[in-house]
Amino acid sequence: MHVALVSEHVSPINDAAGIEAEQSAAQLDRLASSLARAGTRVDVYTRKQNPDHEDELLTPDGYRVVNLSAGPAVPMTEEESIPHTSAFASSLRDHLLRTKPDVAHAHSWVSGLATVLAAGATGVPTVMSFHGLAATDRSGPPTAGTDSVVPRAAMEKKIARSASRIIASCPDEADMLTRMGVARAKVSIVPTGVDLSDFDPSGPTAPRSGAACRVATVGSDADVSTIIELLGKLDDTELVVVGGEPRDSSGVAQLRTVAAAHGMAGRTVFTGPVRHRHMSSLLRSADVFVCLSPTESAGIATLEAMACGLPVVAYGVGYAGELVIDGVTGRSIRPGDRRRLARELALLLRNESRRFELGVSGSDRAQSRFSWDRIAEDTSRVYEATAQTGSTVNAGSTQQAGSTHDHPVPPTAPSRRHTV
């Protein structure tokens, strides 16, 4: 099988546009490598980010990267790449017409827009992975002017309806897509994977203070504030907030104020943005991982923590909610139930043998269910089904729509958006 993976703003081989994108780049690289290792011909299409890079290159892991010229050859965030999506889609269309892959698989809504536009002119069936929908994306405010230029939620709905098939990371995302009007038969659930050669219980550990227990977490400022308040009532416990805003940002300053108010000023560590290659040692330095966020990015960090042998306490929503088996790999808490969250966290921090038991079970679950080879195998089954039925699905969609205007139209942004 020949598969085209499309990721406009994230390249699996280049330095990502911001540390936040490194997680996505690592995930794309592992998927492409695992597919190639299983015998799939894989081409990864991304926007050229460096003028010195070749237009095409074959990676040591056996997949090909195609750098398409669309806008300045510099790294950009997803929002910054939007004005160049039309040019990216045009170049992608030309390549798909020439190479004729069996399936084109887009990663992120902006890449999905380009892929639907390009594949619609070539007859190539499309698979869509949103990696987080607008309704659950709490990663932070959009780039100034983005919401007024590109209504993301509305575009996601059009892209989802135009795609041949959609891969959701968890049942919550599949349900959300159904509420958006997407036929449930079009949605397949395939979780993301974890690099078990890096994320495992053995290996180097980041330095920590002399506190008896360390809790690690990721999430929004509201999530972190909740955990700070709860840990402030427990002695000899510190918190490490992994990633997020720079340590000198106003958001972190506000969290430091919260920490001071709850006696956690000297017991809270803000790492600021973390290179993905340093994540495993940082996670291994903790005793417990807490995730209150429904976003896929937070869910991936939760999976990485499980693979490192950490017991997880999480709200039972989103990707993290699917990862945690209550009482087996951690504790799954009903969202908003702060009383139970505080109780379970306190019990776990006081019981080292229980932490060890849950951590071992979590690591076993990560290794048996979430290896990239297994995820690639599940994803390949979606590709095969899409390739077999893609033409029928596309024909049905066109007949139902009755007009090509049902396909999304690339956004046109003000001229100031072209300045990077």
Side-chain angles (χ1 to χ4, degrees):
M1 173 167 280
H2 180 194
V3 176
L5 303 183
V6 184
S7 177
E8 181 176 347
H9 80 288
V10 172
S11 169
I13 60 170
N14 296 340
D15 287 336
I19 290 179
E20 299 83 358
E22 287 190 355
Q23 184 187 71
S24 299
Q27 298 283 305
L28 183 62
D29 169 66
R30 291 298 88 202
L31 175 61
S33 298
S34 298
L35 288 170
R37 188 162 52 247
T40 301
R41 177 184 169 188
V42 181
D43 296 333
V44 179
Y45 291 92
T46 188
R47 195 187 59 78
K48 194 168 191 175
Q49 300 183 20
N50 188 321
D52 297 329
H53 288 171
E54 299 177 6
D55 292 339
E56 297 183 13
L57 60 92
L58 183 66
T59 68
D61 289 317
Y63 66 88
R64 187 172 67 124
V65 175
V66 182
N67 295 304
L68 302 180
S69 296
V74 296
M76 297 182 189
T77 64
E78 185 173 56
E79 290 79 14
E80 290 169 338
S81 71
I82 289 174
H84 311 292
T85 296
S86 182
F88 181 82
S90 178
S91 184
L92 176 62
R93 178 198 61 215
D94 294 341
H95 277 264
L96 296 184
L97 281 170
R98 186 168 66 254
T99 61
K100 296 291 185 182
D102 298 297
V103 173
H105 182 185
H107 295 265
S108 87
W109 73 274
V110 174
S111 301
L113 173 60
T115 304
V116 167
L117 291 169
T122 64
V124 176
T126 56
V127 175
M128 181 68 219
S129 289
F130 284 101
H131 299 299
L133 295 164
T136 58
D137 188 353
R138 292 160 31 189
S139 58
T143 300
T146 300
D147 271 356
S148 61
V149 174
V150 184
R152 175 178 164 184
M155 295 298 289
E156 286 177 342
K157 185 178 295 186
K158 292 184 177 182
I159 294 166
R161 291 176 177 176
S162 299
S164 306
R165 194 173 293 264
I166 302 171
I167 292 179
S169 63
C170 62
D172 279 358
E173 185 180 0
D175 291 343
M176 188 174 297
L177 288 163
T178 302
R179 292 194 295 271
M180 288 166 55
V182 179
R184 186 61 181 85
K186 281 179 55 172
V187 182
S188 299
I189 298 176
V190 179
T192 191
V194 60
D195 185 355
L196 297 172
S197 66
D198 183 15
F199 294 91
D200 69 346
S202 62
T205 301
R208 55 183 281 179
S209 72
C213 287
R214 167 178 269 201
V215 175
T217 191
V218 297
S220 67
D221 289 353
D223 298 330
V224 174
S225 293
T226 296
I227 299 170
I228 288 174
E229 293 176 25
L230 298 181
L231 293 183
K233 302 173 183 178
L234 303 176
D235 296 329
D236 209 12
T237 302
E238 70 173 349
L239 174 68
V240 57
V241 182
V242 181
E245 299 179 30
R247 285 175 287 185
D248 58 354
S249 67
S250 59
V252 171
Q254 292 176 359
L255 288 174
R256 292 188 192 278
T257 301
V258 173
H262 293 276
M264 290 289 293
R267 296 190 285 144
T268 305
V269 178
F270 297 93
T271 68
V274 176
R275 304 302 299 239
H276 194 254
R277 61 178 174 267
H278 299 318
M279 277 291 292
S280 58
S281 61
L282 189 55
L283 290 172
R284 280 190 290 265
S285 74
D287 301 290
V288 175
F289 188 85
V290 180
C291 180
L292 309 184
S293 172
T295 66
E296 182 170 322
S297 177
I300 292 172
T302 302
L303 175 57
E304 292 170 345
M306 284 175 54
C308 287
L310 272 65
V312 173
V313 179
Y315 279 163
V317 291
Y319 190 30
E322 282 302 302
L323 294 171
V324 180
I325 301 176
D326 190 37
V328 178
T329 66
R331 304 302 304 192
S332 182
I333 312 296
R334 182 172 56 85
D337 191 347
R338 293 182 48 154
R339 180 174 296 181
R340 184 174 175 225
L341 175 64
R343 182 174 68 251
E344 296 294 348
L345 188 55
L347 288 173
L348 197 55
L349 289 172
R350 288 199 297 263
N351 192 332
E352 183 177 359
S353 62
R354 184 58 172 157
R355 295 199 304 269
F356 178 78
E357 179 184 352
L358 296 175
V360 169
S361 296
S363 179
D364 288 346
R365 175 164 163 75
Q367 292 179 36
S368 63
R369 177 63 187 95
F370 299 97
S371 72
W372 272 113
D373 285 344
R374 177 163 179 181
I375 300 306
E377 182 180 323
D378 293 345
T379 305
S380 292
R381 282 195 283 269
V382 177
Y383 293 160
E384 291 166 2
T386 305
Q388 291 171 4
T389 63
S391 58
T392 303
V393 172
N394 287 335
S397 299
T398 303
Q399 183 178 3
Q400 182 180 4
S403 168
T404 56
H405 292 294
D406 282 83
H407 290 279
V409 176
T412 302
S415 58
R416 62 182 173 81
R417 294 284 296 150
H418 290 263
T419 302
V420 179

